[in-house]
């Protein structure tokens, strides 16, 4: 929520000298009490000020810059994404498993020979194949991956809420962050449930919750 100049001034006065009555605030601003009544109502309703009968207004401690909901809407994929781990579609399932351990990720993105997104490999995709197949060194990942056009993805400028909703709706743990190119989708990042948890926590810390 954006405060206007007068509301900001009122907040400063209360912060310094609260508890203070509406009458005294008006005096300090050289305005009539009735003139500042709507501003006081807005500041109180928005939670920036608390009012006690016969005591006056005092500062609630809430930061005036942004409400939690504005902060949440402002969180963009690009601010929280991680580095993507990609493998080529001809890599063996065995090598993909090694890569997953080495890079310590839960999902690998698969790219074709022009480096465009062609599939996704999850932990369970690899586990399922390992149970049912013996020659993992000879089996290329393109045989077992979830492939385009069935890949759910997002873009840097999308809100984190939008990305979280996609993950929940599709029951998946991560999304590739892509840039659309004429040859296909270039993978530039990765959003996981861990990123969403980190964002949730940063919001709480920012608002001193
Ligand atoms: P796990 O299977 O290890 O629990 P996920 O829930 O992320 O991990 O994956 C479930 C299934 O959805 C897997 O078959 C996987 O290939 C597929 N999948 C994962 N991420 C995506 C995505 N972004 N788009 C489409 N399919 C995906």
């Amino acid at each position: 929520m954006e405060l206007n100049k007068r509301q900001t001034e009122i907040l400063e006065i209360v912060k310094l000298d609260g508890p203070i009555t509406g009458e005294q605030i008006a005096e300090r601003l050289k305005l009539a009490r009735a003139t500042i009544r709507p501003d006081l109502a807005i500041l109180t309703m928005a939670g920036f000020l608390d009012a006690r009968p016969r005591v006056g207004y005092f500062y609630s401690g809430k930061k005036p810059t942004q409400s939690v909901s504005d902060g949440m809407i402002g969180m963009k994929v690009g601010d929280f994404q991680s580095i993507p781990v990609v493998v080529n579609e001809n890599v063996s399932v065995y090598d993909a498993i090694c890569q997953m351990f080495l890079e310590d990720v839960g999902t690998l993105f698969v790219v074709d020979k022009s480096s465009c997104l062609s599939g996704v490999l999850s932990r369970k995709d690899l586990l399922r194949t390992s149970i049912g197949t013996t020659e993992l060194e000879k089996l290329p990942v393109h045989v077992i991956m979830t492939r385009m056009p069935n890949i759910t993805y997002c873009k840097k400028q999308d809100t984190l809420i939008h990305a979280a909703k996609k993950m929940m709706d599709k029951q998946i743990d991560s999304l590739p962050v892509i840039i659309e190119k004429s040859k296909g989708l270039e993978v530039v990042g990765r959003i996981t449930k861990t990123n969403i948890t980190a964002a949730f926590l940063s919001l709480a810390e920012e608002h001193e919750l």
Side-chain angles (χ1 to χ4, degrees):
M1 178 187 157
E2 288 267 329
L3 300 184
N4 66 28
K5 188 168 170 282
R6 192 193 292 156
Q7 289 159 358
T8 311
E9 279 171 0
I10 293 174
L11 204 57
E12 284 308 310
I13 292 171
V14 180
K15 224 192 266 185
L16 285 175
D17 297 327
I20 179 168
T21 66
E23 201 63 51
Q24 289 167 324
I25 299 170
E27 235 168 68
R28 297 268 292 270
L29 292 170
K30 299 190 175 55
L31 293 169
R33 168 81 177 87
T35 313
I36 64 163
R37 191 165 289 134
D39 298 309
L40 287 169
I42 288 169
L43 289 169
T44 310
M45 274 189 298
F48 297 122
L49 295 186
D50 282 328
R52 286 215 195 109
R54 288 184 297 279
V55 178
Y57 292 92
F58 57 95
Y59 181 57
S60 69
K62 178 176 165 181
K63 291 210 172 94
T65 42
Q66 245 188 0
S67 67
V68 174
S69 60
D70 285 346
M72 207 180 250
I73 291 163
M75 289 176 151
K76 295 291 182 318
V77 162
D79 300 327
F80 290 91
Q81 68 185 34
S82 305
I83 294 165
V85 179
V86 298
V87 293
N88 189 277
E89 48 186 20
N90 291 317
V91 151
S92 72
V93 171
Y94 182 90
D95 285 343
I97 293 171
C98 295
Q99 193 76 0
M100 195 174 261
F101 276 104
L102 281 173
E103 303 281 354
D104 194 18
V105 290
T107 310
L108 298 172
F109 300 129
V110 185
V111 293
D112 60 20
K113 49 183 179 305
S114 53
S115 300
C116 291
L117 180 65
S118 67
V120 169
L121 289 167
S122 76
R123 277 182 278 232
K124 269 184 237 138
D125 292 332
L126 296 170
L127 206 53
R128 192 183 308 115
T129 309
S130 309
I131 292 174
T133 319
T134 45
E135 298 201 279
L136 296 178
E137 292 93 338
K138 292 194 184 134
L139 184 64
V141 290
H142 69 79
V143 177
I144 67 150
M145 69 188 188
T146 301
R147 57 180 54 248
M148 286 290 280
N150 300 321
I151 306 298
T152 307
Y153 53 79
C154 62
K155 296 179 181 173
K156 265 178 191 279
Q157 61 275 21
D158 290 345
T159 64
L160 217 50
I161 296 175
H162 193 60
K165 184 154 172 30
K166 278 186 177 172
M167 282 197 265
M168 292 309 287
D169 287 349
K170 304 277 177 173
Q171 300 185 351
I172 49 180
D173 291 348
S174 79
L175 299 176
V177 184
I178 60 91
I179 295 177
E180 275 176 81
K181 294 275 167 83
S182 55
K183 58 180 183 163
L185 305 179
E186 187 187 330
V187 186
V188 294
R190 169 171 65 99
I191 279 287
T192 69
K193 288 180 176 170
T194 306
N195 299 130
I196 306 285
T197 310
F200 174 75
L201 210 55
S202 80
L203 194 64
E205 278 164 4
E206 208 167 290
H207 290 268
E208 292 162 14
L209 300 177

